[in-house]
Amino acid sequence: MQMENGILLPTLQSALPFLDLHGTPRLEFHQSVFDELRENLMERVAVIAEGKEADRYSKLEELLEKSFPLVKMPSIQPVVMQVLKHLPKVPEKKLKIVMADKELYKVCAVEVKRQIWQDNQALFGDEVSPLLKQYIVEKEAALFSSDVSVLHSFFSPSPKTRRQGEVVLKLTQMIGKNVKLYDMVLQFLRTLFRTRNVHYCTLRAELLMSLHDLDITEICSVDPCHKFTWCLDACIREKFVDGKRARELQGFLDGKKGQEQVLGDLSMILCDPFACNTLVLSIMRNLQELLSQDALPRDSPDLMLLLRMLSLGQGAWDMIDSQVFKEPRLDKEVVTCFLPAMMSVVVDDNIFTVEQKLPSEEKSSQAYPTLLPDAFYRFLRENRVACEMGLYYIFHIAKLRNKNALQRLLPALVDTYNDMAFGDIFLHLLTGHLTLLSDEFGSEDFCSVVFDGFLLTSFSSKENVHRHILRMLVHLHHKVAPSCMESLMKTLEPPKQRLGPQSSEPLKELYTKLTEKLEAQKKSSPAVEETPSLDLGLHTVSCPSSQ
């Protein structure tokens, strides 16, 4: 039996007794030979597939026919899977068998799964759905991160870094070079975007740019938004849209007129918070330049283009909901009324700053203005584009550590378009920017404006606002006036009805963390007061003369 079924090598027969002397079972020897042969065969399959022979795929199909009946055998299965992986078109029958068997489907390569997915949208949706949920959870977690700072904010990571995220890499691998699968993912994102979650727009852009990084021209060349997204990605990296790129973007936009569906995708790409952030920062810089030149907003073509793109991005939901793919017209009054009103606020501030530097006899008795122009209030309430710019102006003055302007503007945010001022992205950035004025929290007046005048006006109905206030206080509690801190702790205690099973765990954790920090601060403060007692009270003593 051994002679008939063993390895037929004459030289081997004399060598086998050495294995017996070492106590190595024949099974172990034959298994190792089998494993070695299997590895060689799998390597050979890869070499054949990568070769140039015209009949290479027919060879693989022949091998598949012979090996497929043994696909359930663990020792042979890797070979079958290797052949399937390297066949550009797996026979339909074989695909159906793999798809019907959960175990086989689980172990087959992504190249085989792509062929299954492209004709089975529901199955592909089941695979993609958990990844999309994970992506949203990660983005929302970043907005509630424990790091409250301007330097490490939601917008800090570069586009290239963001594209290295687990979800983007997995989706890129799942799509490969398959245009049909890419279109399916975009369709999922368009549908999910109707839930009003802007993070799907970020994923739309990141996915396209991830495929661009891998030089997958099969997809990039057919996506009409590719060049526009690529140019915008460079602007996001620089956090500014310069004149040259602005003209490029305008060329892409004008070139897409009449291509309705493309406009819907471009609006999604411009609705991405990272794109929106870049556009509004560029608008702020443009307004500063216009002020220094004594020029009006309507006279700047660059500013008008930025407003056009911001308006297209902000109108993305309306466009996708209504399925009317038409570029929204920018309200002229935003340019003729709102922006001049906002610039007048800047001028007020500049005049006050200059006056403070004048000699006392030249100073006027006028106090810092507390009211805002009516147009400013009205547009914050009624216009989405204007509201976005108004919110970013708050960050601008916070960066300048301008307490007066901040106290004047914050109360105006209580009533904004669609409650944009109480959205997570704005509150995440605001709490980070307020850390720049940390010393001002020692003043009860400043605390009153920040908390009573704005943040606390909606925290009871919006749990996200409650969480952002607690996030900020965990960082700034030692700077806040003690009387204000005591009042805030009572106000911010999670409501009793929320302490049941339905309560928000993150909210409770933040409140507990803040309580612990305050307790630790109380314990350490007596020690600080006692420190002077360590002074030995040594006084300077005059040295006796050496004489």
Side-chain angles (χ1 to χ4, degrees), residues 6-64:
I7 299 169
L8 301 176
L9 280 175
T11 52
L12 187 61
Q13 298 306 315
S14 55
L16 284 175
F18 281 107
L19 290 177
D20 299 335
L21 290 170
H22 284 285
T24 304
R26 294 292 168 89
L27 171 65
E28 198 177 304
F29 166 68
H30 283 97
Q31 188 63 51
S32 68
V33 173
F34 179 86
D35 292 346
E36 189 71 29
L37 288 171
R38 184 179 59 203
E39 290 304 314
N40 285 343
L41 178 57
M42 287 168 72
E43 283 173 20
R44 182 75 187 127
V45 167
V47 169
I48 291 170
E50 288 161 13
K52 302 288 182 203
E53 295 89 348
D55 64 340
R56 62 188 185 278
Y57 294 128
S58 57
K59 281 181 185 175
L60 294 182
E61 282 172 9
E62 195 181 322
L63 180 57
L64 182 65

Side-chain angles (χ1 to χ4, degrees), residues 240-254:
F240 180 63
V241 183
D242 60 38
K244 180 173 177 274
R245 288 206 177 103
R247 285 187 290 277
E248 277 183 57
L249 291 167
Q250 184 170 12
F252 296 136
L253 275 180
D254 293 341

Side-chain angles (χ1 to χ4, degrees), residues 372 377 406-415 449 453-454:
L372 290 164
Y377 280 111
L406 202 63
Q407 285 177 307
R408 181 185 183 188
L409 283 156
L410 274 178
L413 304 186
V414 173
D415 187 12
V449 171
F454 172 54

Side-chain angles (χ1 to χ4, degrees), residues 487-500:
S487 165
L488 283 167
M489 287 305 285
K490 287 176 187 170
T491 310
L492 294 169
E493 186 176 358
K496 294 287 181 271
Q497 64 267 28
R498 285 197 202 155
L499 295 176

Side-chain angles (χ1 to χ4, degrees), residues 456 459-460 466 469-470 473 485-499 504 507-508 510-512 514-515:
L456 292 178
F459 89 103
S460 56
H466 200 154
I469 299 171
L470 288 171
L473 289 175
M485 196 66 223
E486 195 177 324
S487 165
L488 283 167
M489 287 305 285
K490 287 176 187 170
T491 310
L492 294 169
E493 186 176 358
K496 294 287 181 271
Q497 64 267 28
R498 285 197 202 155
L499 295 176
S504 165
L507 193 65
K508 285 197 293 183
L510 276 168
Y511 189 79
T512 308
L514 179 57
T515 309

Side-chain angles (χ1 to χ4, degrees), residues 94-207:
K94 306 284 190 293
L95 276 183
K96 282 181 178 172
I97 293 168
V98 172
M99 189 171 74
D101 190 309
K102 282 185 180 176
E103 292 302 314
L104 286 180
Y105 175 77
K106 197 175 175 182
V107 295
C108 73
V110 72
E111 289 85 352
V112 183
K113 285 180 178 173
R114 281 186 206 130
Q115 296 185 45
I116 294 171
W117 292 331
Q118 69 176 6
D119 297 316
N120 197 320
Q121 187 168 353
L123 187 61
F124 186 52
D126 291 343
E127 292 272 352
V128 169
S129 185
L131 289 173
L132 301 184
K133 281 178 189 164
Q134 182 189 336
Y135 184 84
I136 298 301
V137 167
E138 285 171 3
K139 287 288 178 199
E140 286 173 354
L143 288 171
F144 287 103
S145 72
S146 55
D147 201 352
V148 181
S149 156
V150 181
L151 299 174
H152 304 287
S153 78
F154 180 72
F155 293 114
S156 296
S158 70
K160 197 100 174 179
T161 306
R162 287 188 281 117
R163 294 199 284 275
Q164 301 309 308
E166 182 189 359
V167 173
V168 177
L169 291 178
K170 272 190 183 175
L171 284 173
T172 307
Q173 187 195 19
M174 286 167 79
I175 291 165
K177 298 178 180 181
N178 194 308
V179 177
K180 199 171 178 184
L181 293 181
Y182 177 67
D183 282 340
M184 277 190 212
V185 173
L186 293 194
Q187 201 51 53
F188 295 149
L189 292 175
R190 289 184 198 111
T191 307
L192 289 164
F193 178 52
R194 291 182 175 181
T195 61
R196 296 289 192 270
N197 195 319
V198 289
H199 301 308
Y200 290 116
C201 302
T202 311
L203 184 54
R204 161 75 172 95
E206 282 179 359
L207 188 56

